[in-house]
PDB file of all heavy atoms in Angstrom:
ATOM      1  N   MET A 110      15.207 -22.528  18.983  1.00 88.00           N
ATOM      2  CA  MET A 110      16.220 -23.493  19.413  1.00 88.00           C
ATOM      3  C   MET A 110      17.358 -22.805  20.155  1.00 88.00           C
ATOM      4  O   MET A 110      17.971 -23.398  21.043  1.00 88.00           O
ATOM      5  CB  MET A 110      16.765 -24.258  18.197  1.00 88.00           C
ATOM      6  CG  MET A 110      15.767 -25.251  17.630  1.00 88.00           C
ATOM      7  SD  MET A 110      16.346 -26.047  16.116  1.00 88.00           S
ATOM      8  CE  MET A 110      17.855 -26.783  16.638  1.00 88.00           C
ATOM      9  N   GLU A 111      17.630 -21.546  19.803  1.00 88.00           N
ATOM     10  CA  GLU A 111      18.747 -20.833  20.405  1.00 88.00           C
ATOM     11  C   GLU A 111      18.360 -19.987  21.607  1.00 88.00           C
ATOM     12  O   GLU A 111      19.223 -19.434  22.269  1.00 88.00           O
ATOM     13  CB  GLU A 111      19.392 -19.929  19.343  1.00 88.00           C
ATOM     14  CG  GLU A 111      20.026 -20.713  18.217  1.00 88.00           C
ATOM     15  CD  GLU A 111      20.560 -19.814  17.124  1.00 88.00           C
ATOM     16  OE1 GLU A 111      20.459 -18.579  17.257  1.00 88.00           O
ATOM     17  OE2 GLU A 111      21.069 -20.349  16.127  1.00 88.00           O
ATOM     18  N   GLU A 112      17.040 -19.886  21.919  1.00 89.00           N
ATOM     19  CA  GLU A 112      16.637 -19.015  23.012  1.00 89.00           C
ATOM     20  C   GLU A 112      16.859 -19.682  24.380  1.00 89.00           C
ATOM     21  O   GLU A 112      16.837 -20.904  24.508  1.00 89.00           O
ATOM     22  CB  GLU A 112      15.190 -18.572  22.846  1.00 89.00           C
ATOM     23  CG  GLU A 112      14.165 -19.658  23.014  1.00 89.00           C
ATOM     24  CD  GLU A 112      12.758 -19.172  22.696  1.00 89.00           C
ATOM     25  OE1 GLU A 112      12.584 -18.029  22.263  1.00 89.00           O
ATOM     26  OE2 GLU A 112      11.831 -19.962  22.884  1.00 89.00           O
ATOM     27  N   THR A 113      17.039 -18.829  25.364  1.00 90.00           N
ATOM     28  CA  THR A 113      17.243 -19.315  26.732  1.00 90.00           C
ATOM     29  C   THR A 113      15.887 -19.591  27.369  1.00 90.00           C
ATOM     30  O   THR A 113      14.840 -19.288  26.798  1.00 90.00           O
ATOM     31  CB  THR A 113      18.001 -18.252  27.561  1.00 90.00           C
ATOM     32  OG1 THR A 113      17.184 -17.077  27.651  1.00 90.00           O
ATOM     33  CG2 THR A 113      19.345 -17.918  26.936  1.00 90.00           C
ATOM     34  N   ASP A 114      15.926 -20.167  28.591  1.00 91.00           N
ATOM     35  CA  ASP A 114      14.676 -20.456  29.295  1.00 91.00           C
ATOM     36  C   ASP A 114      13.906 -19.170  29.599  1.00 91.00           C
ATOM     37  O   ASP A 114      12.675 -19.144  29.511  1.00 91.00           O
ATOM     38  CB  ASP A 114      14.967 -21.213  30.600  1.00 91.00           C
ATOM     39  CG  ASP A 114      15.460 -22.634  30.334  1.00 91.00           C
ATOM     40  OD1 ASP A 114      15.167 -23.155  29.230  1.00 91.00           O
ATOM     41  OD2 ASP A 114      16.116 -23.218  31.221  1.00 91.00           O
ATOM     42  N   VAL A 115      14.611 -18.142  29.958  1.00 93.00           N
ATOM     43  CA  VAL A 115      13.957 -16.860  30.267  1.00 93.00           C
ATOM     44  C   VAL A 115      13.273 -16.310  29.010  1.00 93.00           C
ATOM     45  O   VAL A 115      12.120 -15.852  29.067  1.00 93.00           O
ATOM     46  CB  VAL A 115      14.992 -15.838  30.812  1.00 93.00           C
ATOM     47  CG1 VAL A 115      14.371 -14.472  30.984  1.00 93.00           C
ATOM     48  CG2 VAL A 115      15.598 -16.334  32.113  1.00 93.00           C
ATOM     49  N   GLN A 116      13.953 -16.376  27.877  1.00 91.00           N
ATOM     50  CA  GLN A 116      13.367 -15.899  26.619  1.00 91.00           C
ATOM     51  C   GLN A 116      12.156 -16.736  26.224  1.00 91.00           C
ATOM     52  O   GLN A 116      11.173 -16.219  25.700  1.00 91.00           O
ATOM     53  CB  GLN A 116      14.417 -15.929  25.502  1.00 91.00           C
ATOM     54  CG  GLN A 116      15.516 -14.903  25.678  1.00 91.00           C
ATOM     55  CD  GLN A 116      16.639 -15.070  24.668  1.00 91.00           C
ATOM     56  OE1 GLN A 116      16.914 -16.188  24.232  1.00 91.00           O
ATOM     57  NE2 GLN A 116      17.289 -13.961  24.316  1.00 91.00           N
ATOM     58  N   LYS A 117      12.219 -18.036  26.505  1.00 91.00           N
ATOM     59  CA  LYS A 117      11.103 -18.915  26.190  1.00 91.00           C
ATOM     60  C   LYS A 117       9.881 -18.549  27.024  1.00 91.00           C
ATOM     61  O   LYS A 117       8.760 -18.467  26.507  1.00 91.00           O
ATOM     62  CB  LYS A 117      11.498 -20.382  26.445  1.00 91.00           C
ATOM     63  CG  LYS A 117      10.433 -21.371  26.050  1.00 91.00           C
ATOM     64  CD  LYS A 117      10.899 -22.786  26.232  1.00 91.00           C
ATOM     65  CE  LYS A 117       9.849 -23.759  25.780  1.00 91.00           C
ATOM     66  NZ  LYS A 117      10.281 -25.145  25.924  1.00 91.00           N
ATOM     67  N   VAL A 118      10.095 -18.296  28.321  1.00 93.00           N
ATOM     68  CA  VAL A 118       8.987 -17.904  29.199  1.00 93.00           C
ATOM     69  C   VAL A 118       8.395 -16.571  28.725  1.00 93.00           C
ATOM     70  O   VAL A 118       7.169 -16.406  28.683  1.00 93.00           O
ATOM     71  CB  VAL A 118       9.469 -17.811  30.669  1.00 93.00           C
ATOM     72  CG1 VAL A 118       8.436 -17.154  31.549  1.00 93.00           C
ATOM     73  CG2 VAL A 118       9.832 -19.197  31.188  1.00 93.00           C
ATOM     74  N   GLU A 119       9.258 -15.630  28.347  1.00 94.00           N
ATOM     75  CA  GLU A 119       8.778 -14.337  27.854  1.00 94.00           C
ATOM     76  C   GLU A 119       7.959 -14.509  26.576  1.00 94.00           C
ATOM     77  O   GLU A 119       6.913 -13.875  26.405  1.00 94.00           O
ATOM     78  CB  GLU A 119       9.954 -13.402  27.581  1.00 94.00           C
ATOM     79  CG  GLU A 119      10.626 -12.871  28.823  1.00 94.00           C
ATOM     80  CD  GLU A 119      11.858 -12.033  28.514  1.00 94.00           C
ATOM     81  OE1 GLU A 119      12.248 -11.933  27.317  1.00 94.00           O
ATOM     82  OE2 GLU A 119      12.434 -11.491  29.464  1.00 94.00           O
ATOM     83  N   ARG A 120       8.421 -15.366  25.674  1.00 91.00           N
ATOM     84  CA  ARG A 120       7.699 -15.601  24.423  1.00 91.00           C
ATOM     85  C   ARG A 120       6.333 -16.209  24.689  1.00 91.00           C
ATOM     86  O   ARG A 120       5.318 -15.780  24.125  1.00 91.00           O
ATOM     87  CB  ARG A 120       8.518 -16.516  23.504  1.00 91.00           C
ATOM     88  CG  ARG A 120       7.862 -16.809  22.168  1.00 91.00           C
ATOM     89  CD  ARG A 120       8.734 -17.642  21.262  1.00 91.00           C
ATOM     90  NE  ARG A 120       9.325 -18.798  21.883  1.00 91.00           N
ATOM     91  CZ  ARG A 120       8.712 -19.982  22.034  1.00 91.00           C
ATOM     92  NH1 ARG A 120       7.475 -20.143  21.611  1.00 91.00           N
ATOM     93  NH2 ARG A 120       9.332 -20.996  22.600  1.00 91.00           N
ATOM     94  N   VAL A 121       6.272 -17.210  25.571  1.00 93.00           N
ATOM     95  CA  VAL A 121       5.001 -17.855  25.912  1.00 93.00           C
ATOM     96  C   VAL A 121       4.067 -16.842  26.573  1.00 93.00           C
ATOM     97  O   VAL A 121       2.864 -16.795  26.283  1.00 93.00           O
ATOM     98  CB  VAL A 121       5.245 -19.082  26.820  1.00 93.00           C
ATOM     99  CG1 VAL A 121       3.943 -19.619  27.379  1.00 93.00           C
ATOM    100  CG2 VAL A 121       5.987 -20.169  26.053  1.00 93.00           C
ATOM    101  N   PHE A 122       4.612 -16.007  27.447  1.00 95.00           N
ATOM    102  CA  PHE A 122       3.811 -14.983  28.121  1.00 95.00           C
ATOM    103  C   PHE A 122       3.222 -14.005  27.099  1.00 95.00           C
ATOM    104  O   PHE A 122       2.046 -13.625  27.198  1.00 95.00           O
ATOM    105  CB  PHE A 122       4.659 -14.235  29.155  1.00 95.00           C
ATOM    106  CG  PHE A 122       3.912 -13.165  29.876  1.00 95.00           C
ATOM    107  CD1 PHE A 122       2.968 -13.491  30.842  1.00 95.00           C
ATOM    108  CD2 PHE A 122       4.144 -11.830  29.581  1.00 95.00           C
ATOM    109  CE1 PHE A 122       2.268 -12.497  31.507  1.00 95.00           C
ATOM    110  CE2 PHE A 122       3.442 -10.826  30.234  1.00 95.00           C
ATOM    111  CZ  PHE A 122       2.505 -11.164  31.200  1.00 95.00           C
ATOM    112  N   LYS A 123       4.020 -13.617  26.111  1.00 95.00           N
ATOM    113  CA  LYS A 123       3.524 -12.696  25.076  1.00 95.00           C
ATOM    114  C   LYS A 123       2.388 -13.326  24.276  1.00 95.00           C
ATOM    115  O   LYS A 123       1.407 -12.668  23.945  1.00 95.00           O
ATOM    116  CB  LYS A 123       4.659 -12.298  24.122  1.00 95.00           C
ATOM    117  CG  LYS A 123       5.617 -11.282  24.692  1.00 95.00           C
ATOM    118  CD  LYS A 123       6.702 -10.942  23.681  1.00 95.00           C
ATOM    119  CE  LYS A 123       7.734 -10.008  24.259  1.00 95.00           C
ATOM    120  NZ  LYS A 123       8.823  -9.720  23.313  1.00 95.00           N
ATOM    121  N   VAL A 124       2.526 -14.630  23.971  1.00 94.00           N
ATOM    122  CA  VAL A 124       1.484 -15.329  23.210  1.00 94.00           C
ATOM    123  C   VAL A 124       0.193 -15.388  24.017  1.00 94.00           C
ATOM    124  O   VAL A 124      -0.900 -15.129  23.493  1.00 94.00           O
ATOM    125  CB  VAL A 124       1.954 -16.747  22.812  1.00 94.00           C
ATOM    126  CG1 VAL A 124       0.809 -17.582  22.260  1.00 94.00           C
ATOM    127  CG2 VAL A 124       3.086 -16.666  21.804  1.00 94.00           C
TER     128      VAL A 124
END
Side-chain angles (χ1 to χ4, degrees):
M110 288 175 58
E111 295 175 1
E112 68 186 5
T113 63
D114 290 337
V115 173
Q116 291 172 329
K117 184 176 182 179
V118 169
E119 287 175 355
R120 181 177 47 83
V121 170
F122 179 73
K123 284 180 184 177
V124 169

